[in-house]
Amino acid sequence: MRYRLVIFDWDGTLMDSAARIVACMQAAARDAGWGHLEAAAVRDIIGLGLPEAIDRLCPGIDAERFELLRSRYAYHFVEGSRTPMPFFAGVEMGIARLRELPARRLAVATGKSRRGLDRVFRESGCGHWFHASRTADETRSKPHPQMLEELLVELDVPVEEAVMVGDTEYDLEMARALGMDRVAVTWGVHAPQRLATSRPVYTAEAVEALFDWLES
């Protein structure tokens, strides 16, 4: 068993949610009177906490418009959008394989809010897959390593026996700051060349390859 603890990012790593995030952020910016946000710019901030994402997308935004944009994004994401958010093909089977190993622990470290993560756990019926999770509003947004530090303490696993799996440099740099091994996946939002600068121990180009590697 390569690692006792595998920590997954959510959006862009396990769930194919980028299209919905982009559409909802663009709609929220229009509602708030900020104007058009380029899709590439929105994709780039996926993985950050929502306040940090808005600050990066809308530099200099005033407090009132900030709160309006945030509330409209929540509305569009929860109620206004019908863009599907499936798991990437092979994820459910891969997680099931990992869960067959009794000593293996699985966790989530995500830029979502706790409310948002719990909602998707309920809707997808997958909350029982994971032994622990951390969200950006409970700790600090990626790439700060606080959420990883807290997961290690909660699950009583030393850093050298854990790995972070993610599709963005925010995921990988969060782990790198802690000296944790990190695995890049290329089916998410950041390009492989960008992920490579964080020196992942492995780069997975397919979901099945990721889970094969984690089991080896």
Side-chain angles (χ1 to χ4, degrees):
M1 186 169 58
R2 192 181 293 269
Y3 299 100
R4 282 178 55 204
L5 171 60
V6 182
I7 305 171
F8 292 96
D9 168 57
W10 192 265
D11 296 303
T13 299
L14 298 181
M15 183 164 277
D16 188 3
S17 49
R20 185 159 175 171
I21 293 170
V22 169
C24 292
M25 188 64 77
Q26 289 177 320
R30 291 193 298 270
D31 292 350
W34 183 263
H36 178 68
L37 295 175
E38 294 293 337
V42 180
R43 286 177 61 86
D44 185 69
I45 55 79
I46 293 175
L48 298 177
L50 184 56
E52 291 77 12
I54 294 172
D55 283 341
R56 186 170 296 195
L57 286 169
C58 308
I61 190 170
D62 61 84
E64 181 177 359
R65 188 168 291 181
F66 178 99
E67 289 301 327
L68 178 57
L69 199 157
R70 178 157 63 173
S71 67
R72 294 305 295 170
Y73 174 79
Y75 164 77
H76 285 291
F77 195 86
V78 176
E79 300 179 48
S81 177
R82 295 294 177 264
T83 303
M85 295 191 302
F87 288 111
F88 288 102
V91 162
E92 293 170 272
M93 185 177 296
I95 293 287
R97 287 162 55 188
L98 294 183
R99 293 181 66 235
E100 291 177 357
L101 304 172
R104 177 69 57 83
R105 295 291 178 264
L106 305 179
V108 172
T110 177
K112 287 185 175 298
S113 67
R114 170 51 58 187
R115 184 177 179 183
L117 183 62
D118 285 348
R119 182 187 305 109
V120 78
F121 277 173
R122 290 192 304 272
E123 292 175 353
S124 60
C126 70
H128 67 285
W129 292 356
F130 304 101
H131 298 88
S133 58
R134 283 297 184 280
T135 61
D137 60 335
E138 293 175 321
T139 60
R140 295 179 65 176
S141 175
K142 303 170 186 179
H144 193 281
Q146 183 177 345
M147 63 176 72
L148 296 185
E149 293 170 331
E150 292 183 1
L151 287 168
L152 293 175
V153 171
E154 178 177 345
L155 298 174
D156 192 25
V157 176
V159 67
E160 60 270 17
E161 295 183 19
V163 63
M164 177 70 205
V165 181
D167 69 308
T168 72
E169 70 173 27
Y170 314 125
D171 304 314
L172 305 188
E173 287 302 301
M174 174 175 64
R176 188 179 186 182
L178 204 56
M180 181 184 291
D181 281 0
R182 49 219 170 265
V183 170
V185 303
T186 63
W187 52 82
V189 298
H190 285 178
Q193 300 91 325
R194 185 171 177 182
L195 299 173
T197 64
S198 297
R199 298 185 179 181
V201 296
Y202 178 65
T203 298
E205 298 181 355
V207 172
E208 185 175 0
L210 168 67
F211 289 101
D212 284 346
W213 187 88
L214 290 171
E215 283 190 289
S216 66

